[in-house]
Amino acid sequence: MQNVAVIVGSLRRDSINRKFAESIGKLASDRLNFSFVQIGDLPLYNDDLWQSPPDAVLRMKNEVEAADAVLFVTPEYNRTYSPAIKNAIDWGTRPWGKNSWAGKPAAIIGASPGAIGAAVAQNELKGLVTVCGMALLGQPEVYFTYKPELFDGANEVADDNTKAFLNTFIDGFAAWIAKTK
Ligand code: FNR
């Protein structure tokens, strides 16, 4: 089974993106093993901190490097991805020559209560992820309008169409990881 490091770009407790990622993790559990990478305790990027690297930074880099792939789950903030994701990605690219993201198979998904499902944020994030050397899945895309009624009390996907749609994504990502790893 492929291990996927999941990076959720929202830090808030009731994040729909976190709930969405957890639902997908349950649905994918026969194909992919999700581990959630904590990014909320990373300091804002500061090159000086490498003199005595923060534990949170080293932990995140180790977890990403140990994984077979990375899944970014981004909210949309003012038509772009969250600063928490940018901060985590910047830490991961350093120190120079020790880019934790390089060559990793990756996918981007995102949810919003709005109609276009974090599409603009995801599109912006694609450029960043690609320039950091990740092998980004192009299709299928997941622009998800989050509606609580699509999930049950255990946060499992309850709606058949949504389940089928997300299963297509999971299968595509699993195949992509097997092909590019
Ligand atoms: C938002 N939201 C938002 N939604 C959207 O579809 N497009 C946008 O550009 C924005 N902009 C935006 C800016 C800021 C600062 C906030 C806090 C929110 C709404 C956003 O999609 C909604 O709050 C989600 O619930 C955020 O995701 P999490 O935190 O629930 O995962």
Side-chain angles (χ1 to χ4, degrees), residues 31-32 137 139-140 166-178:
R31 288 157 285 174
L32 297 171
L137 176 71
Q139 293 289 340
L166 293 175
N167 271 323
T168 302
F169 167 72
I170 292 161
D171 287 339
F173 191 28
W176 178 249
I177 298 167

Side-chain angles (χ1 to χ4, degrees), residues 130-147:
T130 305
V131 87
C132 291
M134 284 179 255
L136 182 63
L137 176 71
Q139 293 289 340
E141 297 168 297
V142 178
Y143 303 131
F144 195 75
T145 301
Y146 191 91
K147 295 180 183 150

Side-chain angles (χ1 to χ4, degrees), residues 48-172:
D48 295 342
L49 298 182
W50 283 112
Q51 286 157 21
S52 176
D55 289 345
V57 171
L58 299 178
R59 185 204 62 227
M60 183 202 72
K61 284 178 69 72
N62 285 337
E63 288 177 9
V64 168
E65 287 166 21
D68 297 306
V70 180
L71 175 65
F72 293 97
V73 189
T74 186
E76 183 163 297
Y77 288 173
N78 298 314
R79 296 280 179 255
T80 188
Y81 47 85
S82 67
I85 286 195
K86 179 64 162 64
N87 191 46
I89 289 179
D90 287 346
W91 277 116
T93 57
R94 290 294 187 272
W96 179 252
K98 298 200 170 156
N99 176 5
S100 304
W101 314 107
K104 288 274 171 205
I108 296 170
I109 63 173
S112 142
I116 58 172
V120 185
Q122 292 187 51
N123 219 38
E124 298 257 316
L125 185 54
K126 284 177 189 173
L128 174 60
V129 159
T130 305
V131 87
C132 291
M134 284 179 255
L136 182 63
L137 176 71
Q139 293 289 340
E141 297 168 297
V142 178
Y143 303 131
F144 195 75
T145 301
Y146 191 91
K147 295 180 183 150
E149 61 270 25
L150 299 175
F151 304 88
D152 67 17
N155 196 27
E156 300 211 21
V157 185
D159 174 73
D160 285 344
N161 286 337
T162 304
K163 201 178 277 181
F165 171 64
L166 293 175
N167 271 323
T168 302
F169 167 72
I170 292 161
D171 287 339

